[in-house]
């Protein structure tokens, strides 16, 4: 996968071998910061990774990454906290992440019996 972001008029990329992107969203708080939900093997099997990317002179650099035991298919930023995101995954769960603190999700919501691919998540 290549994450591609247009920041300041120039397209920037970051290659992520073994991961395929499913969703990307710019931070409403930090200019250029991009969250990408990814999965292995085109989302059919394997793990997922949440990538937090920042622009730099050479393209995009990895700020933080978080692994999950199933593919991640969607991501959205909190409306009132610049460090908090939520992802949804193939195991039917939603994960609440904090980019400033934890290496694991702050909370996991197992609300779906099967794959949850896309939704309009609102984190307040």
């Amino acid at each position: 996968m290549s994450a591609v972001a247009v920041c300041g008029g120039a397209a920037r990329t970051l290659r992520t071998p073994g991961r395929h992107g499913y969703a990307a969203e710019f931070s409403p708080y930090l200019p250029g910061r991009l969250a990408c939900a990814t999965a292995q093997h085109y989302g059919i099997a394997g793990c997922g990774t949440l990538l937090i990317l920042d622009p730099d002179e050479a393209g995009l650099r990895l700020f933080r990454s978080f692994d999950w035991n199933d593919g991640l298919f969607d991501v959205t930023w909190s409306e009132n906290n610049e460090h908090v995101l939520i992802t949804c995954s193939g195991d039917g769960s939603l994960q609440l992440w904090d980019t400033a603190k934890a290496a694991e999700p702050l909370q996991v919501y197992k609300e779906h019996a099967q794959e949850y691919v896309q939704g309009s998540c609102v984190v307040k």
Side-chain angles (χ1 to χ4, degrees):
M1 172 203 157
S2 294
V4 178
V6 178
C7 306
R12 300 167 189 235
T13 62
L14 174 75
R15 300 230 180 261
T16 55
R19 293 291 191 264
H20 306 280
Y22 281 90
E25 188 169 318
F26 281 101
S27 168
Y29 302 101
L30 302 168
R33 179 156 290 173
L34 181 66
C36 296
T38 71
Q40 290 179 308
H41 311 293
Y42 303 98
I44 297 169
C47 300
T49 303
L50 172 61
L51 303 172
I52 310 300
L53 309 170
D54 285 328
D56 68 8
E57 300 79 31
L60 293 172
R61 71 173 174 81
L62 183 63
F63 172 70
R64 297 268 326 250
S65 68
F66 302 94
D67 291 324
W68 188 245
N69 59 1
D70 208 324
L72 298 177
F73 297 109
D74 204 0
V75 62
T76 192
W77 291 92
S78 168
E79 292 181 356
N80 62 6
N81 186 317
E82 67 188 66
H83 302 290
V84 174
L85 304 100
I86 194 165
T87 55
C88 62
S89 65
D91 63 5
S93 67
L94 304 172
Q95 305 80 30
L96 187 67
W97 307 91
D98 185 339
T99 63
K101 296 179 183 174
E104 296 185 10
L106 295 173
Q107 184 133 9
V108 177
Y109 302 94
K110 183 68 174 161
E111 302 296 327
H112 300 272
Q114 56 187 340
E115 183 174 290
Y116 186 76
V117 175
Q118 184 177 19
S120 297
C121 301
V122 177
V123 182
K124 294 189 179 196

